[in-house]
Structure formats: structure tokens, C-alpha cells
Amino acid sequence: MSYTGPGFDPPRPRRSRRGPLTVALAALVPGALLGWAVYASVGGSGGDEGPGSAAASAASSSASSRTSSPAPSVGSEDEKPDASAVASGPLVGKVVVIDPGHNPGNFKHTTEINRQVDIGTNRKECDTTGTSTNDGYTEAEFTLDVAHRMRTLLEEQGATVKLTQDGDRPFGPCVDERARIGNEAEADAVVSIHADGSGTGNRGFHVILPGSVHAGAADTRAIVGPSGDLGTRIAGDFVRVTGSAPSNYVGGGTGLVTRKDLGGLNLSTVPKVFIECGNMRDSKDAALLTSGAWRQRAAQGISEGIVGFLRGQGSAR
């Protein structure tokens, strides 16, 4: 994702700058690392394909695979559930907010998204354009697709699911509004979906957790614990379902990073995390991110982490 400004002319954005990342909660992810170790020794492919190549080899061989449909058992790529048909499930009464990072129209509204907003610790841009693969598949397209798939899976479990944006507005929302949507929904869990724009050779996913912030309008002290639990569960299930490894460039191999510079986390009053599902600027990760079949697995891994959190801890905040 790009947090520091739009700075690109579609379809090939400039790679955004990233602030310092603070590694945290390494002791909380034995499940994620164990899952990856089992995958690597039993199910992973050898050679020079690298982590997650089993998914990549089955997923895509060209940019045309971006729009490939998932297996028939999970429905078509654009399928949405009939909310009225959901009558029961383990998550009835639970509210999940999915925040698809960025907006496909942001690049047309640079003045608006460059407007500064208060994030508690300081002021930052309203939003950014996000990144893209070298072939022009944008982060905004990716995040919205994964969000739709997650909505289907979670509504099938009985949850009430809300999106911060559904491609239904010209730009944004700003990061402060994204946080406010989750707060006003009194969400039991909020997950912001992203993909990174790091250098070639940087691979893998990482989950971003809120640090303890108490400044201005921001006070995350009550949500640091449950957000850590939510993020750890998502990291473990993401490894297990997708076969992807934790990031090899941030997080010290844990797949978890703590940050205090993101308004979407600083201003949240409910459990919330971000997930960077992979690096769009690396060709091997891009092959996964542009595959509809892999995006279905990504949505499943994230959703199962949310389900585990809600069933194990409920709405503890």
C-alpha cells in the first residue's frame, strides 16, 4: 500500500515511501511460523520458486489471470451473497467491517486525497492512490476484490459485514473517516486490506497492529491487546490457507509489525488490523495477487482468522 501520497500516473504508480516499522509480538505467532514450516517441508515446492510458489504455479501465468474465476464451489469472482437468505450461523450478532485500502478513483482526485487530516499523533494525507503490479493491476482493484470475497464468506457464517467503500464513491474515504466507520458500527473486528509496493525480491505478507497511542484524538490503549490477538490469528490462518510465507523484509519473520503512524489504526476504538497480502512490485508475489484462485484463498485465510477471533474472544475490547 502507499501511505505517503499518491505520486503516480496510472497505470504505473511510483513506489511510495514507508516510515520506520517497529517489530513487535514475535512471541505471539508460533502458529504462523509452525504452519509455514510444515508447508515448506511437506507441501512447498523446491527449486528457485520461493515461498508460496505452489499457489503461484497453479494460479497464473500471465496478466490475464487477474480476472480468472475461483473454483465452482466458491462461486464466481463477482458473486455477492443474498443477505436476506442468511438466517443463522456462529457469527450471528457479530459486526465485521472490511476496509478495502484506497479507492480506484483516487488518482483522479489528487487534490482531495492530499488534504491533511488529523490522525492523533500528527497530520497526514486524507488517502493515497496505492500501488500496482508492473503490469498495471492496481492495489485498489485487488483490495476491493478480496473484500467482496470476504464479505461472502463471513455473511455465510451469519456476520453482519460492512465495507468502508465499495467503489461507490469518487474517492476516499479519508483515513479518519475509515476509522470512524468501524467505530460507529461498533464493529467486533475491522480489517483493512492492502498489498505492498516494496522492492523486487521482497516477498510475503505481514499484518500491521496498532501501537499504544494516547495523543490528541487517538487513544488505542484499550484495543492493543485484542487487536494483537486478531492479527495473530489472521497471520496463522493466512499461512495455513494460502501457503504464503511471512514477510522477508519486515517483521523479523513473524508476519507481525506494530505501527503508530497510521490514522486508520490510531483513531480506531474497536479491534483493528491491516494486512499487506504480498508485494505487488515483486513478480512472484504479483503472480499470486493477480490470480483469482489465490485471492479466494487469501480471503478465506483472513476470514478464518476473523472467525477464530470472534468465536474465541467475542467482542472483547
Side-chain angles (χ1 to χ4, degrees), residues 16-39:
S16 61
R17 297 171 310 208
R18 301 177 61 85
L21 301 180
T22 304
V23 177
L25 296 180
L28 294 179
V29 290
L33 295 178
L34 178 59
W36 169 241
V38 171
Y39 168 79

Side-chain angles (χ1 to χ4, degrees), residues 80 98 100 102-104 144-145 147-148 151 162-169 172-173:
K80 296 182 181 179
I98 304 172
H102 314 288
N103 181 311
L144 199 55
D145 181 82
H148 288 163
R151 178 171 60 188
K162 300 182 179 182
L163 271 59
T164 58
Q165 60 93 10
D166 198 2
D168 53 354
R169 52 189 296 166

Side-chain angles (χ1 to χ4, degrees), residues 9-292:
D9 294 322
R12 299 238 356 221
R14 284 202 307 257
R15 174 181 152 196
S16 61
R17 297 171 310 208
R18 301 177 61 85
L21 301 180
T22 304
V23 177
L25 296 180
L28 294 179
V29 290
L33 295 178
L34 178 59
W36 169 241
V38 171
Y39 168 79
S41 62
V42 178
S45 61
D48 61 357
E49 289 300 310
S53 61
S57 63
S60 62
S61 58
S62 70
S64 63
S65 63
R66 304 168 194 162
T67 56
S68 61
S69 296
S73 61
V74 294
S76 66
E77 187 161 339
D78 297 323
E79 184 179 16
K80 296 182 181 179
D82 179 2
S84 63
V86 178
S88 62
L91 299 187
V92 167
K94 301 296 184 182
V95 176
V96 177
V97 171
I98 304 172
D99 178 28
H102 314 288
N103 181 311
N106 276 0
F107 75 92
K108 297 178 180 178
H109 297 274
T110 54
T111 299
E112 292 89 344
I113 67 171
N114 279 327
R115 178 175 63 85
Q116 298 282 301
V117 298
D118 183 8
I119 66 167
T121 53
N122 59 0
R123 298 183 70 82
K124 293 186 71 171
E125 294 87 351
C126 156
D127 199 7
T128 65
T129 54
T131 187
S132 76
T133 67
N134 292 330
D135 289 333
Y137 180 58
T138 67
E139 182 183 0
E141 293 177 80
F142 169 81
T143 63
L144 199 55
D145 181 82
V146 172
H148 288 163
R149 295 169 187 272
M150 288 175 59
R151 178 171 60 188
T152 298
L153 294 167
L154 291 167
E155 287 185 339
E156 286 173 350
Q157 297 290 313
T160 297
V161 180
K162 300 182 179 182
L163 271 59
T164 58
Q165 60 93 10
D166 198 2
D168 53 354
R169 52 189 296 166
F171 65 91
C174 296
V175 294
D176 55 344
E177 184 182 353
R178 288 174 184 269
R180 187 162 60 249
I181 290 169
N183 297 344
E184 292 179 350
E186 298 184 349
D188 297 288
V190 184
V191 178
S192 189
I193 311 299
H194 290 271
D196 211 355
S198 188
T200 299
N202 291 341
R203 296 198 61 195
F205 77 93
H206 61 279
V207 179
I208 303 174
L209 313 174
S212 182
V213 174
H214 186 209
D219 187 355
T220 63
R221 292 174 295 177
I223 68 163
V224 166
S227 296
D229 184 19
L230 172 62
T232 301
R233 290 174 184 268
I234 288 175
D237 283 316
F238 199 83
V239 167
R240 178 178 57 80
V241 176
T242 67
S244 292
S247 170
N248 65 4
Y249 60 99
V250 293
T254 67
L256 299 177
V257 172
T258 298
R259 292 178 63 170
K260 298 181 179 181
D261 64 323
L262 302 179
L265 294 179
N266 288 357
L267 299 175
S268 182
T269 59
V270 294
K272 181 174 182 178
V273 300
F274 284 39
I275 181 168
E276 299 277 8
C277 296
N279 176 21
M280 300 196 98
R281 308 303 281 182
D282 177 85
S283 60
K284 291 179 180 178
D285 268 11
L288 304 179
L289 297 165
T290 55
S291 161

